[in-house]
Amino acid sequence: MKHNIILTKKSKTVNGTVQLTGSKSECNRALVIEAISNSKVKVENISDAADTVTLAGILRKSAVNSKQLAMADITPSPLERAGVRLINIGPAGTAMRFLTAYYAIGNQEVILTGSERMKQRPIGILVDALRSLGAHIEFEEKEGYPPVKLKGSFEQQTRKISIKGNISSQYITALLLIAAQLPFGLELHIEGELTSRPYVEMTLAMLRQANIQHSWEGNVISIPHQEFATTSLHIEPDWSAASYWYAIAALSDEAELFLPGLTSYSLQGDSVITELMANFGITSQFKDGGVHLTKEPKPIFRKIFDLKECPDLAQTLIVVCAALGHDASFTGLETLKIKETDRILALQTELAKMGVKLIEKGQVYKLDCSEKQIPQRMFVSTYDDHRMAMAFAPLAILIPELEIEDADVVEKSYPAFWKDLESVGFEVKAQ
């Protein structure tokens, strides 16, 4: 059952140390690498994000066959009797993309399904690419959308495929993760400009740590057939989660925060938050095995933010600008409408509650803060989107009583978020 919380923060000063969970982005990739390598690669510091827990459980659980069902005195379902494994990934978008590729090259017959929102998120481009390689995949309900049925018996037909670069980078990552296990390897041609390039670079860097080599020339990424090394992948804390602490620091009068484990040489594209928040007076010092955040008074001059390489930071940054009354413009938000919710519409709806408009003009989104007002109380709808809850939570520094809908939604990526807020002086009351 969903429950709301009310956030309050009596002081506009924030001090403390916050230990973040492992990166969901890194961990999800590492878990697939572990599975494809037949456990030659081991994952260390696994994230406790719900999406990662879901993916880990699916990958590490052996398919239940009819004999095991009989021994357990369990009546198999019609699907199980037919040798088909039904996997429900719920709202885990990364799991849907990665598992589609993972099971496409296997020998199991699997149906991948998810939440109602998941069934509205397109996957046709990835399926088309996998079919070109030789996979047998059908759409069970609506063409181009989950659920999908993967029939196994993969036989590679080609090593050269093309995919658009301005769609979700998770499609590209899903293909790269399976590339080394393809009999002919993979030559992936990226059409047009690549969105979220750092996420693709993260994937290739993690594969390289597992001894999988690649070449990237122009718009072509090539990975030959090769074997994984016996090694381990250590997961860095989550820079996406760190972004909310940067937002808290930006809206505070004074801030001294320490986030252990984060490094200046991160694989995660969202580590660019250090540069983005420098515009709001937040300095980042890497020492003592982590990053120290400090708030310093500074006028805001930057007016245009290009977020095409870090779209998961969009809500965080847009809410900070709106709260500070900074009429900034944003580009690179093309993928936001097909995330957990239509994040553009969600932002427009919630920002309107404080008199701020987010105006769409082609591929540019501009804030109009001319009628901004800080209410005494504000209710934030979250739309089943973890990032909506966490991006708006820092407003409790400015708004005396901030009610957040469906507090448990943060479990998708940062289950300890509300407890961590309490540890630095926020009051969190259940409704």
Side-chain angles (χ1 to χ4, degrees):
M1 182 176 178
K2 294 181 179 181
H3 75 280
N4 301 351
I5 60 167
I6 293 180
L7 285 182
T8 56
K9 182 74 169 70
K10 294 179 180 179
S11 167
K12 292 188 178 182
T13 298
V14 179
N15 297 284
T17 296
V18 180
Q19 180 66 60
L20 301 173
T21 188
S23 163
K24 181 167 74 81
S25 296
E26 282 190 32
C27 203
N28 288 349
R29 286 161 171 77
L31 287 169
V32 176
I33 291 171
E34 181 183 67
I36 291 176
S37 73
N38 293 318
S39 297
K40 282 186 177 181
V41 180
K42 299 293 186 182
V43 185
E44 299 176 352
N45 192 34
I46 293 179
S47 169
D48 59 6
D51 277 13
T52 299
V53 172
T54 297
L55 181 60
I58 292 169
L59 289 171
R60 291 178 174 176
K61 179 180 179 182
S62 298
V64 179
N65 59 40
S66 298
K67 182 178 179 181
Q68 289 171 314
L69 287 167
M71 291 174 63
D73 194 25
I74 297 172
T75 303
S77 70
L79 279 175
E80 289 164 337
R81 285 196 295 270
V84 181
R85 186 180 176 196
L86 178 62
I87 299 173
N88 191 327
I89 56 83
T94 305
M96 176 60 75
R97 279 75 178 266
F98 291 3
L99 289 175
T100 297
Y102 174 74
Y103 285 113
I105 64 169
N107 293 315
Q108 299 182 63
E109 194 162 342
V110 170
I111 293 177
L112 288 176
T113 189
S115 64
E116 285 306 309
R117 174 58 183 169
M118 186 57 57
K119 293 180 180 181
Q120 299 168 10
R121 299 179 68 179
I123 199 170
I125 291 174
L126 175 59
V127 169
D128 288 344
L130 290 167
R131 284 172 170 171
S132 297
L133 286 171
H136 302 282
I137 308 174
E138 295 177 355
F139 295 107
E140 288 289 278
E141 295 178 11
K142 184 180 178 181
E143 190 73 15
Y145 296 82
V148 292
K149 183 175 185 179
L150 302 112
K151 294 188 174 182
S153 64
F154 177 83
E155 291 184 11
Q156 189 170 4
Q157 302 299 312
T158 181
R159 70 183 298 268
K160 296 182 181 181
I161 59 172
S162 298
I163 195 165
K164 293 180 180 179
N166 64 348
I167 43 81
S168 173
S169 64
Q170 291 178 7
Y171 298 160
I172 295 171
T173 282
L175 295 166
L176 296 177
L177 287 172
I178 65 171
Q181 292 301 291
L182 297 175
F184 309 147
L186 179 67
E187 184 177 300
L188 183 62
H189 293 249
I190 300 172
E191 300 175 352
E193 186 177 9
L194 176 59
T195 299
S196 304
R197 183 185 180 100
Y199 287 99
V200 176
E201 292 174 339
M202 175 198 294
T203 303
L204 293 171
M206 295 182 73
L207 286 168
R208 189 164 53 245
Q209 290 176 21
N211 200 43
I212 300 301
Q213 307 302 314
H214 73 276
S215 65
W216 190 345
E217 298 180 5
N219 68 333
V220 180
I221 303 174
S222 297
I223 298 179
H225 174 78
Q226 56 198 294
E227 296 301 320
F228 288 87
T230 300
T231 187
S232 61
L233 297 176
H234 183 80
I235 307 303
E236 183 186 10
D238 193 356
W239 271 103
S240 303
S243 73
Y244 308 115
W245 294 97
Y246 275 85
I248 287 167
L251 298 185
S252 300
D253 289 344
E254 297 178 15
E256 292 280 349
L257 292 167
F258 178 54
L259 307 178
L262 293 172
T263 68
S264 60
Y265 47 86
S266 175
L267 297 178
Q268 300 171 54
D270 283 357
S271 62
V272 74
I273 194 68
T274 59
E275 300 171 23
L276 295 173
M277 287 298 180
N279 293 282
F280 303 93
I282 309 303
T283 61
S284 303
Q285 287 187 301
F286 291 91
K287 61 182 183 180
D288 307 321
V291 61
H292 291 263
L293 314 187
T294 307
K295 172 69 178 289
E296 298 178 353
K298 180 180 180 179
I300 308 170
F301 295 111
R302 184 168 173 177
K303 284 290 188 180
I304 299 177
F305 295 88
D306 184 356
L307 304 179
K308 70 175 179 292
E309 295 189 346
C310 53
D312 281 347
L313 299 181
Q315 288 144 295
T316 307
L317 189 63
I318 289 171
V319 172
V320 166
C321 288
L324 296 175
H326 184 56
D327 291 338
S329 295
F330 307 88
T331 60
L333 308 186
E334 290 79 10
T335 63
L336 262 62
K337 293 184 178 182
I338 59 168
K339 295 286 188 176
E340 283 79 349
T341 185
D342 180 340
R343 287 178 170 170
I344 297 296
L345 179 59
L347 281 166
Q348 290 170 328
T349 303
E350 299 311 302
L351 291 176
K353 296 175 181 178
M354 49 192 290
V356 176
K357 297 177 183 177
L358 180 63
I359 302 168
E360 180 178 356
K361 293 184 177 180
Q363 294 186 336
V364 178
Y365 297 82
K366 180 176 174 54
L367 281 176
D368 178 359
C369 302
S370 60
E371 298 180 11
K372 187 201 83 168
Q373 55 180 344
I374 300 296
Q376 289 298 300
R377 191 183 192 282
M378 180 170 160
F379 176 85
V380 177
S381 297
T382 55
Y383 309 89
D384 294 321
D385 186 350
H386 55 132
R387 301 206 187 281
M388 284 298 292
M390 293 184 285
F392 277 82
L395 291 179
I397 295 170
L398 305 177
I399 298 173
E401 190 174 299
L402 186 72
E403 183 173 354
I404 306 286
E405 177 193 39
D406 188 15
D408 291 340
V409 74
V410 303
E411 292 182 2
K412 182 177 177 69
S413 63
Y414 189 173
F417 183 64
W418 306 121
K419 289 184 178 179
D420 287 346
L421 285 184
E422 287 182 308
S423 74
V424 297
F426 285 77
E427 293 183 15
V428 182
K429 296 179 181 179
Q431 274 293 89

